[in-house]
Amino acid sequence: MKRDPILISYKLKFEGGDADRHQLEAYPAAQSLEGIIWALSITLNYGVTGKIRQRGDLSRACKVYISPPRRGSVLYELNILVQDNAFISLILGGWAVNTATPYINALIGHVFNSALGVAHEVPVRARKYFRKLNEDDLQKVVHRIEPPLTRGHAAIGKTATTVSLRAKSTDLVVMDTETKSYLEARLKDEFYYLDANVTSFNILTGNGRLYHPDEDSTVAFSLSPDPFAGTKNILIESMKQYSAGRCGIVRMTTQRVETKEGRLKKLIVASAEEIPQSDWEDGVDPLRSTR
């Protein structure tokens, strides 16, 4: 039996600059709207159908509608219509507003904030849904929405200072000059060695995460277009050793992708190798020793 679709409403608010006078410069505002709505559509298409899509072939199971702007800085209403289907019913374990809404809210918050480099935790209420999602697919969606989110920042610094997406009284996403700078991060020319362990790696996409000792956190990385021979195997071995409870530390040659303020966005890995025995501390193998 086909069940009725669920409607979830959000507010997209422009503030600061011209927006405080209840108007926006047309061209950058139009770019921002197009970018944000497209990033939202890609995210929803995955969350509702389990499929990662490109422009022009999104599922009809999720649609985004926009209502005319209202005064109060500049405020748009976005309405998301979610149709029942096998994938989202499996994720939710049922079909109801009180299960779909926290899942969709958490998905938008997680994917957008990950793309913007903003620290974010999945709400407790939604974690049981996220455990059913494929982590590699989530990371693909994060990478996929970076270009439209870059366009989504077009109004910032030109006709507004912040753009926020709100669910009721909670800001799911806040875009500002810092998130704009993060998306516009550039590759540094310098190469440097990094001894670190890989926590996740997708050999098909070349993307993963590693623990960066200087940042004291995990950071994203991507393989260079032409990595040294054997690099993929070493990264996989590091991940396997770490998953088995060992240190998993290997030596990588990397480049930083960072903002103009020096904030690290990701690393590009050109090569990886086991740390030579001459560099072991106290004779302990950093790849295979128990952590």
Side-chain angles (χ1 to χ4, degrees):
M1 181 180 69
K2 190 175 180 66
R3 290 174 284 192
D4 290 337
I6 289 172
L7 187 69
I8 308 173
S9 296
Y10 300 92
K11 290 181 172 59
L12 184 66
K13 190 170 187 179
F14 292 75
E15 295 179 279
D18 296 328
D20 287 350
R21 297 189 293 275
H22 315 298
Q23 61 183 6
L24 292 170
E25 188 181 344
Y27 185 64
Q31 284 184 300
S32 283
L33 279 171
E34 189 272 337
I36 293 167
I37 291 172
W38 185 244
L40 191 60
S41 298
I42 293 172
T43 302
L44 290 169
N45 194 91
Y46 170 69
V48 173
T49 70
K51 297 177 181 178
I52 303 171
R53 295 296 195 186
Q54 295 281 8
R55 182 178 295 274
D57 61 354
L58 295 183
S59 169
R60 303 292 290 176
C62 51
K63 303 175 186 177
V64 182
Y65 296 90
I66 187 169
S67 297
R70 287 182 275 165
R71 297 172 71 88
S73 293
V74 176
L75 188 66
Y76 292 87
E77 185 169 286
L78 300 182
N79 294 297
I80 295 170
L81 192 69
V82 180
Q83 301 274 6
D84 184 20
N85 66 83
F87 178 81
I88 194 169
S89 291
L90 175 66
I91 296 297
L92 299 179
W95 183 248
V97 172
N98 62 357
T99 54
T101 300
Y103 165 63
I104 295 294
N105 288 350
L107 180 73
I108 294 169
H110 174 74
V111 172
F112 273 58
N113 284 299
S114 295
L116 297 173
V118 176
H120 175 78
E121 287 191 8
V122 175
V124 174
R125 190 179 177 190
R127 289 176 189 170
K128 60 183 177 181
Y129 309 131
F130 272 63
R131 285 194 287 268
K132 300 179 184 179
L133 298 175
N134 182 290
E135 180 61 32
D136 284 340
D137 285 345
L138 275 174
Q139 287 304 312
K140 288 179 186 176
V141 176
V142 170
H143 288 297
R144 198 66 58 85
I145 70 169
E146 284 189 5
L149 277 185
T150 300
R151 293 196 300 277
H153 283 71
I156 294 173
K158 293 183 179 178
T159 191
T161 57
T162 65
V163 182
S164 58
L165 183 66
R166 173 170 291 196
K168 294 186 177 178
S169 60
T170 302
D171 284 332
L172 300 179
V173 183
V174 178
M175 298 162 50
D176 55 21
T177 54
E178 287 192 11
T179 57
K180 184 175 184 177
S181 176
Y182 183 83
L183 286 171
E184 294 174 348
R186 295 291 180 264
L187 180 67
K188 303 286 287 184
D189 291 334
E190 299 86 357
F191 288 85
Y192 72 101
Y193 289 121
L194 176 67
D195 292 351
N197 61 273
V198 175
T199 58
S200 65
F201 178 57
N202 186 316
I203 194 170
L204 297 178
T205 64
N207 297 318
R209 297 190 71 84
L210 58 83
Y211 178 78
H212 196 306
D214 296 333
E215 301 288 330
D216 193 24
S217 65
T218 62
V219 300
F221 73 85
S222 296
L223 277 180
S224 69
D226 187 24
F228 279 52
T231 293
K232 291 182 180 179
N233 291 336
I234 293 294
L235 295 177
I236 292 170
E237 184 63 23
S238 173
M239 180 176 64
K240 286 181 177 177
Q241 294 292 337
Y242 183 78
S243 298
R246 304 183 182 96
C247 291
I249 297 174
V250 295
R251 180 161 292 167
M252 294 171 250
T253 303
T254 65
Q255 290 173 280
R256 290 172 63 94
V257 179
E258 62 180 41
T259 68
K260 60 184 178 181
E261 298 85 11
R263 181 185 174 197
L264 178 64
K265 178 180 180 181
K266 67 185 295 187
L267 294 170
I268 304 299
V269 176
S271 69
E273 60 184 355
E274 290 193 33
I275 297 174
Q277 190 170 355
S278 59
D279 289 346
W280 292 1
E281 293 187 13
D282 301 322
V284 175
D285 181 356
L287 176 61
R288 301 172 181 84
S289 60
T290 303
R291 65 175 187 269

